[in-house]
Amino acid sequence: MKCFAGWILLAIFAVHFFIMKLSEEIQRRRTFAIVSHPDAGKTTLTEKFLLFGGAINVAGAVKSNKIRKTATSDFMEIEKQRGISVATSVMGFEYGEKKINILDTPGHQDFAEDTFRTLTAADSVIIVIDAAKGVEAQTRKLMNVCRMRKTPVMVFVNKMDRPALDPFELLDEIEQELEIHVHPLSWPVGMGSDFRGVYNRYDRTFRSFSGINKQIIGELVEYRDLTDEQFQKHIGPHAERLQEDLELIDGVYPGFVQKEYLEGDTAPLFFGSALNNFGVRDILDCFIQVAPSPGPVQTEDRLIDPLENKFSGFVFKIHANMDPNHRDRIAFIKIVSGKFERNKGYIHVRTGRQMKFSSPTSFMAEKKSIISEAYPGDIVGVHDTGNFKIGDAVTEGEKIQFNGIPSFSPELFRYVENADPMKFKQLARGLDQLMDEGVAQLFVSAANGRKIIGTVGALQFDVIQYRLQHEYGARCRYEQLPMHKACWIETGDTVKLKDFRLRKYQQLATDKEGREVYMAESPYALQMAQEKFPEITFHFNSEF
Ligand code: G4P
């Protein structure tokens, strides 16, 4: 009897210990994405975070995954660069007590869909804005996705060492264009060649800018007392303006409320120059204090808490192997709950298949290594022979379907045709797998049954053609389809739906899941359809 009680006590102790450890690991994780319009400085800031985190020693060590402005015909270059992005898909490092996971996103606009999907795995986001250019097109689109998901956002206004817009104007522009309140936690003094540094409103310290250390972290001269003689000398004619500015922003932006940030209503904002390692520590230090650790995730049936003892995770990205002789891929799984263990039996929910991962990889800075365990917030890369699709759930047995891995309305469309009658099967299989990977979206026209590929960037059409040929031995041909947008339609009014179908028959299609999609020829046609059929909702992403 005594022995039995002893076993029970031991079991309770073990469960308690497991939960304590799990909670500790979750609390210390920060999984986020850095995003920007191309050239605003996302890659530079990412690299500087790694530098400050001690994950690399010298700036320039991590290669950008950005697909540079190559000629679109230079496929090998695209492929080479895509190859680089496998290694830099996730960059983990330890900073203080925290485990940081930066999710990398492609810099090229044509791969925006990839970025949107990566955001579904990020617990928060840092948006980089070029101080001279302000809010740019891509930033707006990315913010729309963050707003839709209520993702907490921080803003880094970069390149203050260059002539920049007036900081107050910038704040107004960001608030209006990104439709979010901002809260400046640092304030710049001067700009361009006259840039003197930033006042950190979070810890009430001024850090002066010297602009000499680009490669390594130099010593910073800091002033806590703004009446200090040395400080006054350093900022010279800016002293009065700083005082006035600070009074004004203290009035307009009183205290920083973390809850507003966590709910996605207010974005803390920092000024700096990533290239000069300036302002980087300010945002990083604040980030690790206020940014969220992995939280609960909604599935179709219930909310999953990261503290649940059973493992669950979802695939948010699939990356094809660059070697044409091996058609295997890497699937990236974001861990949502419990502890992930190497070689443990898990279920791939969509197919019901048992799976064991013998060599799951984690990514620390630019190094890949096999791990034996991982926790919520972590990303593990697993070897995939073509089983996974974006959005797939992996669990210990529970049949769950995670919400919120949307497909976004494509903007470019082409009919796709088989160009080699002997390779029909290869083409179908290739297209299928590339769509599972999320390279583009496939629709079937209701009017003529032809297959349509929809993308957000022209480059994808070239990538698809190239990959079909090199990985699947299939050849395809495209035919232009001048459409403006595809939207998923929804209504409870069957009579109106019937009427809509009759009138818009030529523009209807189904997506890969068989859902009905309306392809508008122009913004005007879309507007007319919305006005004529108010009973129908036109969705611009598949997750509604
Ligand atoms: P991205 O990933 O957002 O596309 O931008 P990336 O970091 O590659 O930066 C784009 C360009 O802006 C780079 O110059 C980079 O050096 C520069 N840059 C980044 N941060 C700052 C900054 O704080 N101040 C200044 N003055 N420049 C900055 P490039 O000439 O295009 O590339 P590279 O040859 O320097 O790599």
Side-chain angles (χ1 to χ4, degrees), residues 34-48 63-66 68-69 104-108 128 130 156-163 209 214 272-278 280:
I34 303 181
V35 299
S36 76
H37 187 87
D39 278 344
K42 173 185 81 77
T43 314
T44 313
L45 186 66
T46 306
E47 184 178 86
K48 297 307 167 84
K63 275 277 150 270
S64 151
N65 89 351
K66 97 170 149 189
R68 294 203 180 255
K69 297 160 196 93
D104 201 11
T105 54
H108 199 293
V128 184
D130 183 325
F156 186 74
V157 178
N158 190 29
K159 305 197 187 182
M160 287 305 294
D161 59 315
R162 286 215 185 141
F209 175 71
K214 290 189 170 51
S273 165
L275 187 65
N276 292 287
N277 303 328
F278 192 79
V280 177

Side-chain angles (χ1 to χ4, degrees), residues 5 18 25 48 121 172 183 197 226 240 298 320 355 358 371 383 387 426 468 498 523:
F18 174 81
E25 292 293 345
K48 297 307 167 84
D172 282 350
H183 190 100
L226 299 195
E240 210 176 307
Q298 188 65 48
M355 285 187 169
S358 58
I371 44 128
H383 182 81
N387 294 313
Q426 285 86 335
L468 282 172
K498 209 170 151 194

Side-chain angles (χ1 to χ4, degrees), residues 45-157:
L45 186 66
T46 306
E47 184 178 86
K48 297 307 167 84
F49 274 6
L50 295 179
L51 188 66
F52 277 82
I56 55 173
N57 297 320
V58 183
V62 174
K63 275 277 150 270
S64 151
N65 89 351
K66 97 170 149 189
I67 294 169
R68 294 203 180 255
K69 297 160 196 93
T70 47
T72 49
S73 58
D74 193 355
F75 301 119
M76 275 330 286
E77 188 53 24
I78 296 169
E79 290 302 295
K80 215 164 72 202
Q81 296 188 23
R82 276 169 35 80
I84 292 165
S85 77
V86 177
T88 56
S89 281
V90 191
M91 285 164 283
F93 63 94
E94 302 273 337
Y95 185 72
E97 303 280 284
K98 302 285 190 274
K99 162 87 193 291
I100 313 259
N101 294 313
I102 305 181
L103 307 180
D104 201 11
T105 54
H108 199 293
Q109 251 151 284
D110 284 8
F111 291 82
E113 177 91 16
D114 224 25
T115 303
F116 298 156
R117 260 192 314 265
T118 298
L119 292 183
T120 63
D123 297 314
S124 66
V125 163
I126 292 182
I127 294 183
V128 184
I129 288 177
D130 183 325
K133 295 186 178 153
V135 175
E136 295 173 87
Q138 191 64 7
T139 329
R140 238 171 268 130
K141 283 191 187 168
L142 291 160
M143 185 62 213
N144 286 343
V145 180
C146 294
R147 202 178 312 105
M148 192 178 99
R149 304 177 50 80
K150 289 206 143 280
T151 310
V153 164
M154 258 188 206
V155 176
F156 186 74
V157 178

Side-chain angles (χ1 to χ4, degrees), residues 106 222 230 234 240 304-305 307 384 422 447 462 483 521 542:
E222 298 186 336
Q230 281 291 73
H234 173 71
E240 210 176 307
I304 299 211
D305 194 285
L307 263 176
D384 171 36
M422 305 298 286
D462 297 336
M483 291 289 172
E521 306 98 304
S542 63

Side-chain angles (χ1 to χ4, degrees), residues 336-371:
V336 172
S337 67
K339 182 166 115 176
F340 171 89
E341 288 173 79
R342 182 182 173 196
N343 280 326
K344 191 167 169 177
Y346 292 124
I347 297 287
H348 177 228
V349 174
R350 188 170 48 80
T351 58
R353 263 190 222 165
Q354 270 266 2
M355 285 187 169
K356 256 187 197 165
F357 304 109
S358 58
S359 44
T361 24
S362 83
F363 306 83
M364 291 299 275
E366 75 269 52
K367 287 191 277 304
K368 242 169 66 168
S369 53
I370 293 184
I371 44 128

